[in-house]
Amino acid sequence: MLLAEDNPVNALLASALLKREGCVVDKVADGKEALEALGRARYDFVLMDMRMPGLNGLEAARHYRAAGGRTPIVALTANAMAHQVAEYAEAGMDDFLPKPLDIKTLAERVKQELHAA
């Protein structure tokens, strides 16, 4: 799976949790790097932070979907109001997980994605 997260502490925590669930994790720090990684490799799913420097998560998702990308994208965000969630869906994101990340919720979401892949 691909983890796009610019905060080193959040990236370390999420990566450790994902690895504990049996995931192989590639980490990138911004949307441009996420698009480059998605162009080089096949991923079962992407966890994408919304607020990253340069190309943010919404912009990266829009570019990826416009190019025909179909890998599921799950937004990582502290912004989970209804209008924001609708914006994530409009950008092509399949779901969102609220920050701070809850270990149980992340593990359940990972299991759902891995069984769907």
Side-chain angles (χ1 to χ4, degrees):
M1 61 120 339
L2 180 64
L3 172 63
E5 171 63 69
D6 67 312
N7 181 297
V9 174
N10 289 344
L12 181 65
L13 172 65
S15 181
L17 295 171
L18 292 164
K19 287 177 181 178
R20 193 172 80 189
E21 293 300 318
C23 295
V24 175
V25 181
D26 286 345
K27 293 185 285 186
V28 297
D30 63 41
K32 181 178 182 251
E33 291 177 4
L35 291 175
E36 290 169 355
L38 286 161
R40 285 191 308 269
R42 183 191 170 280
Y43 294 96
D44 291 325
F45 69 104
V46 178
L47 288 177
M48 179 94 65
D49 183 28
M50 290 296 88
R51 292 187 177 193
M52 295 182 288
L55 197 65
N56 67 35
L58 279 176
E59 294 165 335
R62 285 185 183 114
H63 285 293
Y64 181 65
R65 295 296 187 223
R70 301 182 57 86
T71 301
I73 303 173
V74 177
L76 297 176
T77 182
N79 302 314
M81 296 182 71
H83 72 280
Q84 293 162 319
V85 172
E87 188 176 18
Y88 307 147
E90 179 273 324
M93 297 192 160
D94 299 281
D95 200 358
F96 79 98
L97 288 174
K99 285 183 174 181
L101 285 175
D102 174 73
I103 294 169
K104 183 179 177 184
T105 303
L106 178 60
E108 288 172 1
R109 189 65 176 103
V110 166
K111 287 175 185 170
Q112 287 174 356
E113 285 300 332
L114 293 179
H115 289 292

